[in-house]
Amino acid sequence: MSIPQYLRQISLKVGNDQKALDLSDLRIRFSIRRGDLKTPNSADIRIYNVSDATAQLIRKEFERIVLQAGYAGNFGVIFDGTIKQVRRGRESQTDTYLDITAADGDSAYNFAVMNTSLAAGSTPDDQLQAALKAMASRGISMGQGMTLSTNKLPRGKVMFGMVRDYLDVLGKTQDASWSFQDGQLTFIPNTGYLPGEAVVVTSATGMIGLPEQTQNGITVRMLLNPSVKIGRRLQIDNASIQQLRYGLSLGDQPANEMAQTTVKLDSDGFYRSIVVNHSGDSRGNEWYTDVICLSIDATIPLSLLNRPETPGSVGSIGPVKPYG
């Protein structure tokens, strides 16, 4: 997909189930942080010259905030979450501001618990549905996902505890990463990507500067693009990527080998986004999307296979638990 980026657009709405306010006409600055980690996404949004009455309404009554941004022909949601903190301040004698800090899915992450049991013969999808049922009251529904295996448990399973812990186990057994994206649970295969056409990233479609290969992945900056989602494919010309400099000392060899495996260049130029940060100013120059992505066929190096905290890794063999 290749859509020229011009004619900025922005929409900011805050509210609750009964009413909402549209603050799109005011000056808005924002910084949105999104990743494929289970840690909830977050946003810092600054709104200028809000009236005292509106500020009090947002502080006391409103819970949800939805920010949309982009360009004509490529406009969409870049953050949908709950308001966690509201602060007022002043930048100058004439300009006041209202700062809103928000999070996406933090209520489900911190407080959703499971207290159920599954009969013998249950599948991974049954476990996923049980987790979704436990998070429904926290505003979480199923988003884009993957086809889970159909393996059946030979006996019943008791599920009691934090939902996030069971999602961790389900992610490891299905070799997938899970996260909350705009109020929805997303499952992405560690060796795959979300369905849909790849976002073409070139100078003609808004790429700023040149992509760079780092130890964290391929980093690229572009004009704000709401089509770039966590787990979606990007198509980048490998010839434009500035390659990582490897160390020459003997001690650098393990790091070099890891980089060659995890942050290598894809032979076809297709990459999966794992971090998507948006920043902008509706009346300023800043209007960017910063992405960290990995090759579609990147693999986990052997040195990480015994690290249970790494999504998709395999932990050491522990004692057998006879009661599940």
Side-chain angles (χ1 to χ4, degrees):
M1 183 180 67
S2 177
I3 300 176
Q5 306 284 72
Y6 59 92
L7 299 179
R8 292 184 184 182
Q9 294 183 355
I10 188 169
S11 170
L12 177 65
K13 296 180 180 179
V14 294
N16 51 32
D17 294 337
Q18 287 74 38
K19 59 182 177 179
L21 286 177
D22 189 341
L23 304 174
S24 307
D25 292 334
L26 300 177
R27 181 187 176 188
I28 300 167
R29 293 175 58 191
F30 57 86
S31 176
I32 312 297
R33 296 163 292 276
R34 308 174 68 117
D36 69 345
L37 302 175
K38 59 185 180 181
T39 304
N41 299 328
S42 62
D44 283 298
I45 301 172
R46 173 167 291 189
I47 312 162
Y48 285 84
N49 299 321
V50 177
S51 68
D52 291 339
T54 299
Q56 289 299 321
L57 192 63
I58 295 174
R59 186 192 301 270
K60 294 182 178 180
E61 297 187 25
F62 290 162
E63 300 176 351
R64 185 179 176 188
I65 184 167
V66 179
L67 177 63
Q68 301 178 77
Y71 294 85
N74 188 18
F75 177 73
V77 175
I78 61 174
F79 186 82
D80 185 348
T82 54
I83 298 173
K84 311 310 299 181
Q85 185 182 12
V86 178
R87 310 182 308 280
R88 293 211 70 180
R90 180 178 293 275
E91 279 194 354
S92 66
Q93 295 298 319
T94 57
D95 291 326
T96 63
Y97 63 80
L98 185 74
D99 275 350
I100 298 177
T101 301
D104 177 12
D106 66 302
S107 178
Y109 180 82
N110 290 320
F111 304 114
V113 295
M114 301 189 69
N115 184 12
T116 188
S117 59
L118 300 177
S122 63
T123 64
D125 186 66
D126 294 327
Q127 300 176 41
L128 176 60
Q129 295 305 316
L132 287 170
K133 183 178 180 180
M135 295 188 294
S137 62
R138 303 287 178 178
I140 299 297
S141 59
M142 188 63 202
Q144 292 183 295
M146 54 179 285
T147 301
L148 304 181
S149 68
T150 57
N151 296 336
K152 297 182 179 181
L153 294 178
R155 56 192 176 194
K157 182 179 181 66
V158 175
M159 305 180 75
F160 179 79
M162 300 300 294
V163 174
R164 64 173 185 256
D165 294 335
Y166 284 96
L167 290 176
D168 284 342
V169 174
L170 187 61
K172 290 178 181 178
T173 58
Q174 301 298 309
D175 193 21
S177 298
W178 68 271
S179 62
F180 297 123
Q181 304 295 333
D182 298 327
Q184 294 185 320
L185 176 63
T186 302
F187 259 86
I188 305 173
N190 288 325
T191 55
Y193 48 86
L194 293 181
E197 188 179 356
V199 178
V200 179
V201 183
T202 65
S203 59
T205 61
M207 185 173 70
I208 305 297
L210 293 172
E212 183 178 359
Q213 182 187 32
T214 71
Q215 292 182 340
N216 294 324
I218 311 299
T219 63
V220 58
R221 166 170 280 197
M222 65 192 78
L223 296 176
L224 197 146
N225 191 338
S227 298
V228 180
K229 304 289 187 181
I230 294 298
R232 190 165 183 184
R233 285 187 303 163
L234 303 181
Q235 185 175 2
I236 304 174
D237 183 2
N238 286 338
S240 66
I241 298 177
Q242 310 303 293
Q243 296 188 26
L244 174 69
R245 178 192 180 278
Y246 296 131
L248 299 178
S249 67
L250 185 61
D252 290 329
Q253 297 312 305
N256 293 344
E257 293 176 0
M258 181 179 296
Q260 290 171 0
T261 304
T262 58
V263 297
K264 65 180 181 179
L265 302 186
D266 186 85
S267 57
D268 297 320
F270 287 102
Y271 300 88
R272 181 188 69 175
S273 55
I274 61 172
V275 173
V276 180
N277 296 332
H278 304 287
S279 59
D281 184 342
S282 62
R283 300 183 186 176
N285 293 326
E286 189 175 15
W287 202 255
Y288 302 123
T289 295
D290 293 286
V291 181
I292 300 177
C293 51
L294 296 176
S295 170
I296 291 297
D297 58 351
T299 56
I300 297 177
L302 295 177
S303 59
L304 294 181
L305 288 181
N306 195 29
R307 294 179 58 183
E309 69 275 12
T310 303
S313 65
V314 179
S316 56
I317 299 176
V320 175
K321 298 181 180 180
Y323 302 106

